[in-house]
Structure formats: C-alpha cells, structure tokens
Amino acid sequence: MAIFIVLLGPPGVGKGTQANILAETTKLAHVSSGDLFRENLKNLTDLGKLAKSYMDKGELVPDGVTISMIRDRLRRPDCGLGAILDGFPRTPTQADALEKMLTEFNGHVDKVPYITADVPVLVERISERWTCRAQGHIYNRTFSVPKQAGVCDIDGSELYQREDDKAEMVTKRIRVYLEQTMPLVEYYRKRGKLIEVNGAQAVEQVTKDLLAALKK
Ligand code: AMP
C-alpha cells in the first residue's frame, strides 16, 4: 500500500525545505501544490491564470480545481509508492477529498508531521527566503545561503523573491492559514496521525526530529 505523508504547518515554517529532504531520504515523490500552481503560472495555462488571481491576494485557490490538480499529479507513476505532500491539503474539504482519492489509489495518509513556529519567526524567515526559478529550491539569507549570490546551487537557475513572500502579503497568508488550515491539526489529531515537530530550530535538527517521529 502506498504511503502518503502530509506536512502541515504555517507558511515559512520550512515545509518545502523539509519535504525536499524527506523525499530524498524516503525516495517518495515530493508533491507541492504551491509549486504546481507556480508551474502552471509560468506556462500560462488556464489553471495558472485562475490560480494567480488568488495567489496574488494571498488567498487559497478554490478547493475544486486544487483537488483535481492534485488528483492528476498523484496518478503519475512516480507516486506509485506514495508521496510527501507539501501544502495540500489546506482545508477540511481537501483533506476529505484526499482520503477518498487515496482509497482509490490503494494508499493512505500514514503520518502528519505538524511543524510549528511562532509568527515573528515565520515573518522573518519568509522575508529572507529566495526561491529558484527552475524547480523551486529554497534558500535563506541567514541559514541556507547559496554558494553564489542569486544562483541556485542545484540547477544554476536564477533565485527570486516570490511575489507573495513580500512583506505586505505575509501577514495575510498567515491569517488565511490560521482560519482555513488550522482546523486540519484537530482533523489529523483525532485520527491519531499528528506528530508535532518544533520548526524554530536549525534545518538539520528539524530533519532529525522529523525522521525520528516518522520511524515511531
Ligand atoms: P505555498 O507555496 O504552499 O505557500 O502556496 C502558494 C499559494 O498557492 C498559496 O498562498 C495559495 O494561493 C496557493 N495554494 C497552494 N496550495 C494550495 C491548496 N492546497 N489550496 C489552495 N490554494 C493553495
């Protein structure tokens, strides 16, 4: 049975960074809904244009299109053994839809690491975040500095600051998270799947804690 790990946590807590590391370690696919939307945006697809109108405001893209985008992604062969889900689900409706689609795909949500940090830490981290144009690799001015300024170590593409990472959008995104995504903490706690991990530590320590919690 395929294993799916849902990474929960506020914007800026390091889900993307940890998802990349976990995917490498576990050999499961890394599925990031934000990256998928950004890819659609770059390719100017209809979905990308629709998503942009929400992303630019720091709001969630409607559940229907988000769920079908993820369904298409999880159907791809690299998800055969499972995936690390980063940024999806973000609402209880999406979580219900995930349960249903995984039954269909003969998989299940195994564990849900909930990575936490206080709001000031999130705001600071997001404002210092740089993302690679080609594949979304993540850097930070303080603790994950690229070897050459403005260039991705992994694929050599340009690093840029996401529009929605600019200061004026960050508080809005955190508010949307608290209102719409926080209910998932209880959703997965009730199902006995939630494991809390302190995200206000060095990247390597968060990874250690995550791997230890996932092994239990
Ligand atoms: P992220 O890269 O996860 O911070 O996502 C960037 C933006 O993409 C969010 O602010 C939303 O506008 C949109 N987005 C990503 N994932 C979802 C989701 N599961 N549901 C709705 N909107 C999403």
Side-chain angles (χ1 to χ4, degrees):
M1 188 179 246
I3 287 177
F4 291 81
I5 292 166
V6 170
L7 284 187
L8 262 190
V13 82
K15 289 191 301 296
T17 302
Q18 296 299 335
N20 269 321
I21 301 171
L22 283 186
E24 285 244 319
T25 318
T26 60
K27 305 292 172 216
L28 297 176
H30 173 194
V31 173
S32 154
S33 45
D35 283 353
L36 290 171
F37 283 130
R38 281 183 288 278
E39 206 176 292
N40 274 280
L41 224 139
K42 200 163 75 182
N43 297 331
L44 298 174
T45 66
D46 288 343
L47 175 61
K49 287 178 205 156
L50 172 82
K52 183 174 169 20
S53 59
Y54 294 92
M55 293 167 83
D56 281 353
K57 288 186 279 181
E59 290 170 6
L60 295 187
V61 179
D63 284 335
V65 285
T66 303
I67 291 165
S68 59
M69 174 181 78
I70 292 291
R71 174 187 290 280
D72 288 347
R73 177 67 187 86
L74 297 187
R75 274 208 184 104
R76 299 213 320 238
D78 64 326
C79 293
L81 294 177
I84 311 289
L85 300 181
D86 161 18
F88 181 92
R90 249 179 164 97
T91 64
T93 304
Q94 293 180 12
D96 285 339
L98 178 65
E99 294 291 313
K100 280 200 199 114
M101 74 177 95
L102 291 189
T103 315
E104 211 180 290
F105 297 160
N106 193 29
H108 73 289
V109 173
D110 188 45
K111 294 211 170 77
V112 181
Y114 169 39
I115 312 178
T116 58
D118 291 337
V119 172
V121 175
L122 305 173
V123 172
E124 189 182 320
R125 282 207 190 149
I126 297 182
S127 66
E128 294 192 340
R129 173 159 75 183
W130 293 86
T131 304
C132 111
R133 271 259 184 241
Q135 295 184 70
H137 298 117
I138 300 159
Y139 296 84
N140 181 286
R141 211 163 53 204
T142 314
F143 53 81
S144 177
V145 186
K147 291 194 186 94
Q148 191 187 335
V151 180
C152 177
D153 292 349
I154 301 166
D155 58 35
S157 77
E158 179 204 11
L159 300 183
Y160 76 110
Q161 187 178 34
R162 278 168 45 180
E163 261 322 297
D164 61 350
D165 278 354
K166 295 190 175 154
E168 54 282 12
M169 292 293 295
V170 171
T171 2
K172 168 88 179 278
R173 285 169 59 212
I174 293 174
R175 198 170 69 232
V176 167
Y177 164 80
L178 292 173
E179 287 169 8
Q180 295 181 258
T181 307
M182 269 302 268
L184 291 186
V185 171
E186 285 317 309
Y187 182 102
Y188 286 117
R189 202 196 302 276
K190 266 193 216 144
R191 288 162 172 76
K193 296 187 171 174
L194 200 81
I195 39 183
E196 283 196 41
V197 175
N198 175 9
Q201 315 178 83
V203 174
E204 298 74 20
Q205 189 57 47
V206 178
T207 306
K208 268 192 197 154
D209 289 359
L210 267 172
L211 289 173
L214 288 172
K215 270 198 194 123
K216 274 189 198 152

